[in-house]
Amino acid sequence: MKVALATFAAIPDGGSEAAMLRASLAPLGVTAEPVVWDDPSADWSRYDLTVIRSTWDYIDRPAEFLAWADALPRVANPAPVLRWNTDKRYLRDLAEAGVPTVPTLWDPDGLPDWDEFVIKPAVSAGSRDTARWRRGTEDEQARAHLEALRGAPAMVQPFLSAVDTEGETALLFCDGDFTHAARKSPILRAGAGIEGLVTGEDGRGAITPATPTEAQLALAERALAAVPGAPDLLYARVDMVTGPDGAPVLMELELTEPSLFLDAAPEAADLYAKAIAARL
Ligand SMILES: Nc1ncnc2c1ncn2[C@@H]1O[C@H](COP(=O)(O)OP(=O)(O)O)[C@@H](O)[C@H]1O
Ligand SMILES: [Mg+2]
């Protein structure tokens, strides 16, 4: 059995996570090959399944990426889920379904009333075009940022200060079951504007193992249960942050190309490998 681990041209070997998955799949009789998603010489019919992994440049060409996924013989997560999940307007669906999410203004005409806020595009990854601004002193830059993203659409949220103090928490799920959690360190620096991101080589903060609280687990389960169509999800990452009242709120539900943070829980690679093998 053969599986493609879809990646992008900057990481043709899929990086350390692909290596971990390949090592866990081999004893199950599954050969996994990293394949660059937009490589014209790739023959996707050779694979029993394509697993989306590090296809991180799709944010420049989401339509092309989704058309490619639609045309694959078999893909995880399923193509309709990718279509829904590659645009953060899915957060509106989840909020309407009652999932506590970070309050968001969609493409507002002007700046919000919050003392400190984040502006980011609805289609993004790795904190691209994302910045935090302070009301009053940084209005001019914030307005220019908002204008630049206008129609994309732009998202405007209160800056949740718990990101700076305790970080973000990511809960990972395989076949709907919780596997592990990780803490992500802060990424946006105050006063740093659009260029001031604190990121590692793959555009994210430092990742460390974490133990979720009951409230965090409950929020993650709730978010997953609210995904339209109750699709078959090989993998899911639920990113959350503590809100001003102390309860967790959803920042992002990553069903497309999440890093699974396997470095923080190497034993979890076997669980994802088993779930992949079971699909073949
Ligand atoms: N409302 C917010 N409050 C505090 N930090 C935020 C907020 N929105 C985004 N961030 C920071 O920016 C990073 C990237 O934003 P996110 O919405 O996760 O988009 P993506 O990971 O797809 O680029 C987050 O990991 C977090 O550090
Ligand atoms: Mg994120």
Side-chain angles (χ1 to χ4, degrees), residues 15-262:
S16 65
E17 286 207 352
M20 292 167 89
L21 289 174
R22 294 172 76 184
S24 291
L25 281 162
L28 305 178
V30 181
T31 306
E33 292 176 2
V35 188
V36 174
W37 73 272
D38 59 350
D39 178 351
S41 70
D43 177 2
W44 302 98
S45 68
R46 289 177 56 231
Y47 303 100
D48 300 292
L49 175 69
T50 296
V51 181
I52 309 288
R53 300 282 55 248
S54 41
T55 55
W56 296 328
D57 63 344
Y58 79 83
I59 59 176
D60 295 320
R61 320 167 255 157
E64 190 185 323
F65 175 74
L66 294 172
W68 163 78
D70 275 336
L72 291 169
R74 197 157 170 222
V75 59
N77 285 329
V81 179
L82 306 177
R83 190 168 292 282
W84 178 74
N85 187 248
T86 40
D87 183 323
K88 290 195 173 105
R89 279 176 279 189
Y90 69 75
L91 286 170
R92 277 202 298 218
D93 298 342
L94 296 178
E96 278 165 20
V99 179
T101 56
V102 179
T104 305
L105 304 173
W106 300 90
D107 242 7
D109 289 329
L111 299 183
D113 288 337
W114 301 307
D115 288 338
E116 193 164 23
F117 50 91
V118 171
I119 299 180
K120 56 188 170 185
V123 179
S124 184
S127 307
R128 196 172 62 171
D129 294 337
T130 298
R132 73 193 255 193
W133 304 108
R134 282 168 296 206
R135 189 158 63 98
T137 52
E138 296 180 318
D139 284 357
E140 203 176 313
Q141 292 149 283
R143 250 185 230 110
H145 187 190
L146 188 59
E147 270 319 305
L149 297 184
R150 207 34 181 272
M155 300 168 64
V156 182
Q157 300 179 331
F159 178 80
L160 297 181
S161 57
V163 169
D164 275 349
T165 52
E166 59 184 46
E168 245 178 294
T169 306
L171 275 63
L172 280 300
F173 289 77
C174 177
D175 270 341
D177 294 329
F178 171 73
T179 59
H180 61 292
R183 175 192 180 272
K184 263 204 282 194
S185 64
I187 292 177
L188 308 177
R189 263 182 301 168
I194 197 82
E195 308 296 344
L197 303 178
V198 184
T199 60
E201 60 179 65
D202 56 357
R204 63 187 207 194
I207 308 297
T208 46
T211 305
T213 63
E214 284 302 318
Q216 288 173 329
L217 273 169
L219 172 60
E221 301 275 2
R222 227 174 134 180
L224 288 171
V227 177
D232 172 38
L233 298 175
L234 170 63
Y235 53 83
R237 199 182 83 209
V238 192
D239 291 353
M240 57 188 73
V241 59
T242 303
D245 66 354
V249 288
L250 183 71
M251 169 85 84
E252 223 183 324
L253 176 59
E254 283 257 27
L255 305 178
T256 306
E257 49 10 301
S259 169
L260 300 174
F261 299 157
L262 295 177

